[in-house]
Amino acid sequence: MDDGKNLIIQSNNAFNFIEKLFFEISYLIKEIEGILSNEEENFLIARPSGYSISARSSTGLESNNVPYWLLKNFSVTFIPEIFTKLEKGQTITNFSPDLKVIFFRFSLFDSLDSEPIILAGIFNEIARKENVKWIKKYENIIGQIEYSYKKIFTEPKTINYSDSYMTLKGEYLERKLYSLKDSEAINKSLLTPVLKIFRK
C-alpha cells in the first residue's frame, strides 16, 4: 500500500476513534444527568450558554491556539434545583454562602502515555470578587475555572483557590475513564462517592 493511501486510512481511523470517544462521553454525561436528576436534591445540569459542556477552546490560526482546536479537557457541573432556575435555555445560579455544586472534569489527552481520567467532586464556598462587575452568577465563572484548571487542581483531592475573579474551595476524586464500563461501575465508582462528598 502506498504512503498516500496509508495516510488516508490512518487519518480516517483517528477521526473515527475520536468521534466515537466523544459520543461515548456524551452518553456518559447524559446517564449521569439522568441519575442525578432523580436524587433528592434534583440536580440540574448547569447551562452557561445552553445545553453543552464547558471548555477552553479556540479556532484561531495562531500557532499557540492550534492545540485548543481539539477538546482535550472539558467539564460539566450539576446544581441542586434549590439554588438555580432555568430561563431561556440557560441556568441562573446566584452566589450564596450555602451554594455547593458537583462537577465532572474530563481530561482526555494530557500526555502520550496518560489514560483519560475524570476528576469528580464538589465546589463550595464559591464567591466572586466584589470588584468584578461582569460576574453576576455562578455560570459566569465556569469558563474561568476551565481557564485556570491547572492552578485549581494542584493539591491531591483538595481545592483551595483564589484569583482576581473568584474564590472557591472543594474536594474531588479521580477515576479512570475507561474503568466506567457500565451503569453499575458509574454508580459504584463515581456517583456514590461523589454524592457522599456532597452530602457530608
Side-chain angles (χ1 to χ4, degrees), residues 36-46 77-87 91-94 96 98-102 139 198:
L36 289 181
S37 69
N38 288 316
E39 291 296 320
E40 59 188 77
E41 295 87 353
N42 192 20
F43 291 94
L44 298 177
I45 194 166
T77 305
F78 293 89
I79 308 165
E81 185 180 39
I82 192 172
F83 291 117
T84 193
K85 57 184 176 180
L86 187 61
E87 288 186 1
T91 50
I92 298 173
T93 309
N94 295 320
S96 73
D98 297 328
L99 178 61
K100 186 190 301 186
V101 304
I102 291 177
E139 287 78 6
F198 182 87

Side-chain angles (χ1 to χ4, degrees), residues 98-182:
D98 297 328
L99 178 61
K100 186 190 301 186
V101 304
I102 291 177
F103 69 85
F104 298 90
R105 188 162 201 289
F106 297 81
S107 182
L108 303 184
F109 307 108
D110 266 352
S111 65
L112 288 176
D113 59 349
S114 65
E115 183 175 344
I117 60 169
I118 301 175
L119 302 181
I122 64 145
F123 292 134
N124 60 4
E125 298 187 39
I126 307 162
R128 68 175 181 88
K129 295 293 177 70
E130 289 300 322
N131 60 328
V132 185
K133 302 302 181 188
W134 62 269
I135 295 177
K136 301 184 183 305
K137 58 180 182 174
Y138 168 75
E139 287 78 6
N140 295 144
I141 69 169
I142 291 177
Q144 186 63 25
I145 291 170
E146 280 302 304
Y147 188 83
S148 304
Y149 79 93
K150 287 185 179 178
K151 297 176 182 176
I152 293 172
F153 299 103
T154 53
E155 297 294 328
K157 302 182 181 179
T158 302
I159 299 165
N160 190 354
Y161 180 74
S162 179
D163 62 20
S164 56
Y165 300 102
M166 62 182 180
T167 61
L168 53 84
K169 293 186 178 181
E171 189 178 338
Y172 67 97
L173 50 87
E174 180 180 309
R175 295 291 183 264
K176 294 179 179 179
L177 177 63
Y178 297 151
S179 70
L180 304 174
K181 297 178 180 178
D182 52 36

